[in-house]
């Protein structure tokens, strides 16, 4: 007789927790990834009464990661109040790490392999790993392998002055040598995204995030950390007018539109989401905010210049819509990660463009316009900041809560772009 | 032990303190699970028929304490329990002197004197009322006479409440009442019949769900830990900005954290919804969240005045609407509110705070008398802490703080756990005969005595 395996079921988003995001070298300058991820987990455990509980698994990751943190998530679990019998592993998919981790846990829940789990991510731009130069690294390896004093001397003799300059991590695509901002500037130009529209989006992000804080929306989504109770980057009084005064930092000459105000700053922070089956949630007296309906990942060829580096979600969403039989207009709320204001605007422009939708996406008709009042209604990365791997968890938890406030059946779309020309998108539906 | 206390307990400090006649605070006996109720045998006696002594003996025996009817030679006493329930006339008080006076020399450190009496207001004759009320004078003076952490308290037992004294008696004898001294606790017939005794006196809150506001630190965090130790599942509530400290407390006690400002219009509803969905209901609510905005009344603006009254008193009234609704606190539940010594005695610069804390007393009295709550066997009591070592008191100027620490019969500040133990006791089902009391945890402070 074949062993009984449970059929697929929808994984529930039960709740979430994040620490406020801090600007690089700000409030969390001395905190490590492990510290922050542990803090985010502890808040999740406290909110949901999980002390001593064995979760099916915890999955998280960091983009900027020290080699000593090879078991980052498991170490964070061991430092938390969760049962030490909770397994954990690390994943990394650049800025989509948190969302991908969520999908991984949700899939195991859907398959019945686990009943519950936590997913998330953390990043510190302040406590970033610094690598030694390739020359110094080889010298040190040779020194380590040397057996005799003579061999040791010979190894050291290979050292050159230039070798000792450390290499801080750079936000650069290895295959193009261009920073993410430079890539985005090219795409912005291609789609004719104006400075004015970017500044408007940035101002809306700050306004929406501030309003969400003021009405207590984050009271059960966030736990203060190291004296910070709100995102350090948030400027509630940000306006299009004062954003217009900033100088451009990416692109060149006339066509440059991107500033520090409409691009996300380097940030430190962590977030986690609690997922489970409906039954597990019910047994634990926990709410089901939403279900994860489906998810899709796309990758584009940005290396040859065929497509913009951050345009993969523009390809992933129509595939997901086709599979689920939905349209862009079916969503009550849409979360498009604001890597840059221009990312969001170029993506929306692409979906409205008949040629792009026909030639690139193979669609008969464009996806059409998105009702902007449904977009990033509680603020997004421009205001909150973007600790790379932590953004997915931030979005999943706050969207799930916002959908559950809207009522049963409310649907939400998540779109997160990532380095390497990748994009991860997902659909949530309120229970 | 804090600054002064640890100094005067060094050999040199001791000598200096003795020479100057300064008080030398004793290390108080505090409750720990599994320890005996009292440190030594208990001498019992009383006047006349001593109507409560039978129950006293039963309680002591059940607790495993040795019971003595005569003062033993050369043996230390853990406590003296005197039943003056039968006094008719002030002349009868000599029985109290004759029993307790000679025993005091044998009383061990952190020993206990518990005097039992009847309610003066229920007396049948003026002489009886006088004699009954006299017990309070004796007990309060005795509290001041006792040394080395010993305390004296009076338990007034209403007619018909004889079967409700086990829990209060145990409390006053045990280390749970370490910082309760010179107080009068009144036991009345518990609403709905004799209070149930717990299956296990070390887990009196087994299976109960308790909500504690202001649980992130200070007294509230001690309350959360103490209620959890006694078996309760704890929901800790505190403002979102204190969420990290609150999370630590919640995780330490295996409870849940609810980040919530108690002044929010829907705070009560959200607490009930959380407790019901997560834990199936609420049995105990401890209204502990509180703030001070001290200023002389002449310098108190509207905002300071309003915020203190709002957090300390008005939020409780608002939350109680949901907490005491039919789907709120379960039948047989318990409310404990935080008053303060300042609410009894007043304090210069604390008009707003004292208003709120005196208001709490009024509220407690009214709720305890409420017919509907009595029908549902819900009790309401207040605890009025004196000087307790927390961040609130750490902010006081040095001199005021040292005076606060010393101006009481135990010559030291209390610890948050002392307040927490008293609150936990009032939250036990076995304490249901204690309703509408304001129990001071002040080491018998000289203020507002
Ligand atoms: N410490 C003393 O000596 C003393 C004496 C008498 C009475 N009290 C009373 O005991 C209670 C606790 O005092 P403490 O010394 O532990 O104070 P504390 O200041 O150390 O702690 C009070 C807690 O209440 C929380 N709180 C304040 N406003 C809140 C709000 N609006 N919503 C939710 N939580 C809120 C705070 O964040 C804090 O965690 C208070 O009611 C106080 O008035 C204390």
């Amino acid at each position: 007789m074949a062993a009984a395996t449970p059929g697929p079921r929808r994984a529930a988003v039960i709740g979430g927790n994040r620490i406020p995001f801090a600007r690089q070298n700000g409030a969390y300058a001395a905190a490590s990834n492990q510290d922050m991820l542990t803090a985010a987990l502890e808040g999740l455990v406290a909110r949901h009464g999980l002390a001593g509980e064995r979760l099916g698994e915890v999955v998280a990751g960091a983009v900027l990661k020290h080699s000593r943190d090879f078991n980052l998530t498991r170490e964070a679990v061991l430092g938390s109040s969760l049962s030490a019998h909770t397994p954990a592993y690390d994943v990394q998919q650049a800025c989509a790490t948190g969302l991908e981790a969520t999908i991984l846990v949700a899939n195991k829940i859907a398959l019945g392999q686990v009943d519950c789990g936590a997913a998330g991510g953390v990043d510190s731009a302040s406590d970033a790993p610094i690598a030694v130069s390739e020359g110094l690294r080889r010298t040190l390896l040779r020194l380590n392998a040397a057996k005799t004093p003579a061999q040791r001397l010979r190894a050291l003799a290979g050292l050159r002055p230039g070798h000792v300059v450390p290499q801080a991590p750079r936000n650069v695509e290895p295959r193009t040598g261009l920073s993410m901002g430079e890539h985005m500037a090219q795409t912005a130009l291609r789609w004719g995204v104006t400075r004015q529209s970017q500044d408007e989006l940035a101002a809306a992000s700050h306004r929406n995030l501030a309003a969400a804080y003021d009405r207590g929306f984050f009271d059960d989504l966030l736990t203060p950390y190291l004296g910070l109770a709100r995102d350090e980057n948030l400027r509630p009084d940000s306006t299009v007018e004062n954003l217009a005064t900033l100088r451009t930092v990416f692109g060149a000459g006339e066509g440059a539109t991107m500033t520090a105000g409409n691009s996300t700053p380097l940030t430190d922070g962590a977030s986690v989401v609690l997922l489970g089956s409906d039954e597990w949630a019910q047994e634990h007296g926990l709410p089901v905010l939403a279900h994860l309906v489906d998810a899709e990942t796309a990758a584009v060829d940005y290396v040859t210049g065929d497509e913009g580096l951050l345009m993969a979600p523009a390809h992933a969403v129509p595939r997901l819509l086709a599979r689920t039989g939905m349209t862009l207009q079916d969503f009550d709320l849409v979360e498009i990660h604001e890597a840059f204001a221009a990312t969001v605007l170029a993506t929306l422009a692409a979906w409205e463009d008949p040629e792009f939708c026909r030639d690139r996406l193979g669609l008969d008709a464009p996806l059409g316009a998105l009702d902007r009042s449904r977009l990033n209604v509680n603020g997004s990365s421009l205001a909150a900041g973007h600790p790379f791997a932590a953004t997915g968890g931030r979005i999943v938890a706050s969207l799930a809560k916002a959908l559950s406030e809207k009522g049963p059946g409310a649907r939400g779309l998540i779109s997160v772009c990532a380095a390497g020309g990748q994009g991860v998108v997902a659909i949530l539906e309120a229970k | 032990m804090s600054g002064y206390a640890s100094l005067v307990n060094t050999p040199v400090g001791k000598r200096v303190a003795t020479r100057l006649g300064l008080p030398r605070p004793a290390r108080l006996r505090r409750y720990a699970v599994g320890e005996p109720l009292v440190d030594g045998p208990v001498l019992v006696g009383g006047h006349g028929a001593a109507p409560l002594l039978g129950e006293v003996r039963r309680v002591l025996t059940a607790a495993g304490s040795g019971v003595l009817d005569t003062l033993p030679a050369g043996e230390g006493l853990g406590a003296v329990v005197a039943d003056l329930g039968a006094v008719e006339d002030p002349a009868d008080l000599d029985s109290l002197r004759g029993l307790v006076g000679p025993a005091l020399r044998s009383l061990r450190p952190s020993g206990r004197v518990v005097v039992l009496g009847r309610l003066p207001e229920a007396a049948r004759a003026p002489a009886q009322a006088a004699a009954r009320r006299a017990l309070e004078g004796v007990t309060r003076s005795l509290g001041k006479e006792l040394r080395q952490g010993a305390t004296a308290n009076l338990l007034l037992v209403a007619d018909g409440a004889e079967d409700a004294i086990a829990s209060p008696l145990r409390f006053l004898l045990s280390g749970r009442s370490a910082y309760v001294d010179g107080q009068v606790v009144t036991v009345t017939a518990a609403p709905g019949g004799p209070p149930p005794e717990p299956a296990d006196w070390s887990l009196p809150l087994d299976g109960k769900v308790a909500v504690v506001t202001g649980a992130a630190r200070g007294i509230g965090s001690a309350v959360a830990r103490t209620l959890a130790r006694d078996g309760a599942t704890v929901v800790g509530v505190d403002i979102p900005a204190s969420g990290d400290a609150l999370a630590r407390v919640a995780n330490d006690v295996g409870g849940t954290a609810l980040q919530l400002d108690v002044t929010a219009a829907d705070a009560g509803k959200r607490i009930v919804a959380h407790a019901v969905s997560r834990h199936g209901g609420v049995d105990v609510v401890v209204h502990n969240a509180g703030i001070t905005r001290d200023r002389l009344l002449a310098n108190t603006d509207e905002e300071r005045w309003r915020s203190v009254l709002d957090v300390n008193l008005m939020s409780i009234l608002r939350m109680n609407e949901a907490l005491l609704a039919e789907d709120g606190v379960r039948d047989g539940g318990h409310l404990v509110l935080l008053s303060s010594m300042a609410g009894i005695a007043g304090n210069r610069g604390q008009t707003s705070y004292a208003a709120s804390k005196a208001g709490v007393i009024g509220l407690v009295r009214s709720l305890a008398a409420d017919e509907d709550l009595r029908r549902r066997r819900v009790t309401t009591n207040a605890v009025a802490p004196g000087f307790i070592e927390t961040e609130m008191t750490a902010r006081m100027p040095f001199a005021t703080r040292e005076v606060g620490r010393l101006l009481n019969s135990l010559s030291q500040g209390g610890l948050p756990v002392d307040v927490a133990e008293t609150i936990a006791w009032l939250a036990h089902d076995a304490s249901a005969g204690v309703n509408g009391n304001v129990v001071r945890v002040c080491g018998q402070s000289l203020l507002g005595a």
Side-chain angles (χ1 to χ4, degrees):
Chain A
M1 206 176 78
T5 40
R9 54 185 176 181
R10 280 183 177 179
V13 181
I14 293 167
N17 184 56
R18 69 179 178 96
I19 56 175
F21 293 166
R23 287 176 68 93
Q24 183 183 34
N25 299 321
Y28 306 160
S32 70
N33 276 339
Q34 192 183 321
D35 295 337
M36 292 191 288
L37 185 57
T38 309
L41 267 178
E42 280 298 83
L44 188 82
V45 170
R47 181 161 304 137
H48 299 95
L50 301 174
E53 190 90 21
R54 176 173 68 85
L55 299 186
E57 64 183 12
V58 179
V59 183
V63 175
L64 300 176
K65 198 164 157 183
H66 294 267
S67 51
R68 63 163 186 265
D69 284 342
F70 64 96
N71 230 348
L72 173 66
T73 310
R74 173 66 181 148
E75 288 299 330
V77 166
L78 286 172
S80 78
S81 305
L82 287 171
S83 158
H85 297 127
T86 299
Y89 63 94
D90 285 22
V91 292
Q92 209 267 60
Q93 197 175 34
C95 307
T97 301
L99 183 54
E100 188 62 33
T102 304
I103 296 165
L104 290 169
V105 175
N107 285 349
K108 278 203 192 177
I109 291 168
L111 287 176
Q113 293 171 350
V114 298
D115 286 327
C116 62
V122 56
D123 256 295
S124 171
S126 308
D127 185 36
I130 286 184
V132 298
S133 69
E134 194 54 19
L136 177 56
R137 193 177 72 86
R138 292 199 176 283
T139 307
L140 292 173
L141 286 172
R142 268 199 297 276
L143 189 64
N144 196 37
K147 296 208 167 60
T148 67
Q151 283 173 336
R152 252 175 239 136
L153 267 182
R154 222 171 304 132
L156 280 173
L159 210 54
R160 299 286 170 271
H163 285 169
V164 294
V165 180
Q167 296 175 330
R170 293 179 308 155
N171 206 347
V172 159
E173 284 300 321
R175 286 177 188 277
T176 61
L178 291 180
S179 73
M180 199 174 264
E182 292 301 333
H183 270 287
M184 192 62 235
Q186 291 175 356
T187 311
L189 210 56
R190 147 83 172 85
W191 287 102
V193 179
T194 65
R195 166 79 185 262
Q196 167 83 16
S197 64
Q198 293 176 46
D199 288 348
E200 279 167 6
L201 193 87
S205 188
H206 285 278
R207 202 169 51 238
N208 289 346
L209 185 69
Y213 270 109
D214 288 344
R215 69 186 163 88
F217 181 71
F218 293 111
D219 285 359
D220 57 0
L221 290 172
L222 193 136
T223 305
Y225 184 56
L226 300 182
L228 215 56
R230 285 189 175 201
D231 304 309
E232 211 170 15
N233 189 56
L234 172 60
R235 304 272 175 281
D237 51 359
S238 190
T239 62
V240 178
E241 288 70 39
N242 56 40
L243 284 166
T245 64
L246 300 175
R247 64 180 182 83
T248 55
V249 291
F250 300 115
E254 281 287 281
T257 54
M258 294 168 59
T259 68
N262 58 40
S263 311
T264 50
L266 288 172
T267 328
D268 305 337
S271 70
V272 279
V273 180
L274 181 64
L275 302 155
S277 66
D278 286 11
E279 298 74 35
W280 186 86
Q282 199 182 358
E283 278 162 23
H284 288 73
L286 292 167
V288 170
L289 300 177
H291 288 112
L292 188 104
V293 176
D294 201 356
E296 172 78 14
T297 303
V300 296
D301 178 10
Y302 67 99
V303 182
T304 62
D306 173 60
E307 182 56 282
L309 175 71
L310 301 180
M311 290 299 281
H315 296 251
V317 165
R319 287 180 353 209
L320 184 60
L321 294 179
R323 187 161 69 230
T324 52
M326 295 175 71
T327 71
L328 190 57
Q329 292 71 32
D330 287 339
F331 295 96
D332 301 275
L333 295 172
V334 175
E335 287 283 334
I336 305 181
H337 159 50
E338 299 166 340
F340 303 89
T343 321
V344 179
L345 295 164
T347 304
L348 293 178
W351 287 337
E352 286 184 46
D353 185 54
E355 269 172 48
F356 177 86
C357 289
R358 186 188 61 224
D359 300 343
R360 295 301 186 94
L361 305 179
L363 302 176
D364 302 335
L367 265 58
L370 180 74
D371 176 354
R372 294 283 284 275
S373 69
R374 303 179 179 186
L375 177 67
N376 298 350
V377 294
N378 293 309
S380 182
S381 303
L382 286 170
H386 170 43
F388 311 120
T391 289
R394 171 184 70 74
I395 294 177
V396 172
S398 32
L399 178 63
K401 175 172 175 184
L403 289 172
S404 104
E405 284 180 345
K406 284 212 170 284
R411 288 163 175 168
L413 176 68
I414 301 173
S415 158
V416 177
C417 60
Q422 307 204 83
V424 182
V425 303
I427 295 173
L428 299 185
E429 186 177 285
K431 193 192 176 187
Chain B
M1 260 186 234
S2 53
Y4 173 84
S6 45
L7 175 73
V8 294
N9 278 311
T10 61
V12 179
K14 249 183 229 174
R15 231 175 302 134
V16 175
T18 318
R19 198 149 325 142
L20 295 178
L22 291 176
R24 199 144 47 77
R27 192 175 289 277
L28 304 181
R29 173 171 65 97
R30 291 193 164 88
Y31 173 77
V33 177
E35 301 233 320
L37 183 67
V38 216
D39 177 25
V42 182
L43 175 68
V44 301
H47 177 77
L52 302 164
L53 220 48
E55 179 63 3
V56 169
R57 284 181 202 280
R58 187 193 69 79
V59 169
L60 289 171
T61 310
S65 295
V67 182
L68 303 173
D69 293 304
T70 51
L71 190 58
E75 194 186 351
L77 278 181
V80 184
V81 178
D83 175 6
L84 280 294
V87 290
E88 294 289 341
D89 185 279
D92 298 341
L93 295 167
D94 190 56
S95 302
L96 177 59
R97 185 204 57 77
L99 171 72
V100 179
L104 293 181
R105 240 179 291 271
S106 308
L107 207 56
R108 291 192 184 154
S110 289
R112 296 284 186 264
V113 175
V114 178
V115 178
L116 298 161
R118 293 292 195 183
L119 302 186
E121 22 327 347
R124 276 172 281 106
Q128 191 185 40
R132 287 180 175 186
R133 178 69 200 216
L135 297 177
E136 191 175 323
V138 177
T139 313
R140 289 195 196 278
S141 300
L142 204 46
K144 297 183 184 189
E145 177 177 334
L146 294 174
R147 288 288 171 265
Q148 292 188 291
T151 64
N153 291 288
L154 173 63
L155 196 56
L156 291 180
V157 184
D159 291 326
E162 296 76 14
D163 52 15
I165 67 170
S167 176
L169 181 62
R170 278 174 165 266
F171 171 71
L172 292 174
L173 290 172
S174 75
R176 290 182 187 263
S177 64
Y179 202 60
V180 177
D181 194 7
Q183 298 308 303
V184 182
V185 171
T186 303
V187 189
T188 46
E197 296 206 359
D200 179 352
W201 279 97
S202 68
L203 279 177
L205 291 172
D206 194 24
K208 302 292 179 180
V209 179
V211 173
V212 183
T213 68
R217 66 174 200 208
I219 292 171
S221 87
V223 172
R225 291 173 203 282
T226 305
L227 296 179
R229 182 208 60 199
D230 281 356
T233 301
V234 175
V235 176
V237 178
D238 212 297
I239 51 172
S242 296
D244 38 355
L246 181 67
R248 272 192 292 279
V249 174
N251 289 343
D252 282 353
V253 305
T256 52
L258 177 59
Q259 299 186 164
L260 172 76
D261 187 324
V262 295
T263 63
D266 60 351
K269 255 205 221 134
R270 282 162 67 187
I271 290 172
V272 171
H274 177 103
V276 169
S277 70
R278 302 295 176 81
H279 310 293
V282 198
D283 303 290
V284 173
V285 178
V286 181
H287 286 298
N288 164 78
I291 58 169
T292 51
R293 294 282 181 273
D294 295 354
R295 280 289 160 91
L296 295 178
L297 184 60
N299 303 328
T300 299
D301 59 24
E302 192 191 338
E303 172 53 24
R304 281 171 181 275
W305 183 266
R306 192 199 57 76
S307 61
V308 171
L309 278 149
D310 201 30
V311 175
N312 296 3
L313 183 59
M314 282 148 78
S315 74
I316 301 178
L317 288 165
R318 275 194 303 270
M319 283 187 283
N320 278 357
E321 281 178 30
L323 292 169
L324 298 178
E326 283 300 328
D327 56 352
V329 170
R330 284 190 279 234
D331 287 5
H334 310 284
L335 258 58
V336 187
L337 282 67
L338 268 288
S339 180
S340 167
M341 195 163 68
I344 297 169
N347 218 359
R348 184 179 148 87
Q350 291 202 311
T351 43
S352 60
Y353 184 71
S356 70
K357 294 301 181 179
V360 160
I361 297 175
L363 175 56
V364 161
R365 296 262 153 84
S366 153
L367 291 174
D370 184 89
E371 276 312 314
D372 180 48
L373 290 179
R374 292 185 68 82
R375 189 178 48 73
R376 290 161 56 191
R377 296 178 287 111
V378 173
T379 68
T380 312
N381 291 283
V383 166
F387 184 94
I388 305 297
E389 309 278 357
T390 67
E391 282 182 43
M392 200 181 248
T393 47
R395 279 198 300 273
M396 288 179 166
F398 175 78
T400 322
R401 192 169 63 235
E402 282 307 318
V403 169
R405 280 192 182 128
L406 295 180
L407 280 189
N408 58 72
S409 297
L410 295 169
S411 309
Q412 57 191 295
L415 300 181
V417 70
D418 297 328
V419 183
E421 293 287 8
T422 307
I423 290 171
W425 159 64
L426 291 169
H428 299 163
D429 285 349
S431 308
V434 184
N435 192 13
N437 274 238
V438 178
V439 181
R440 292 176 51 171
V441 185
C442 63
Q444 196 176 24
S445 168
L446 300 188
L447 304 176

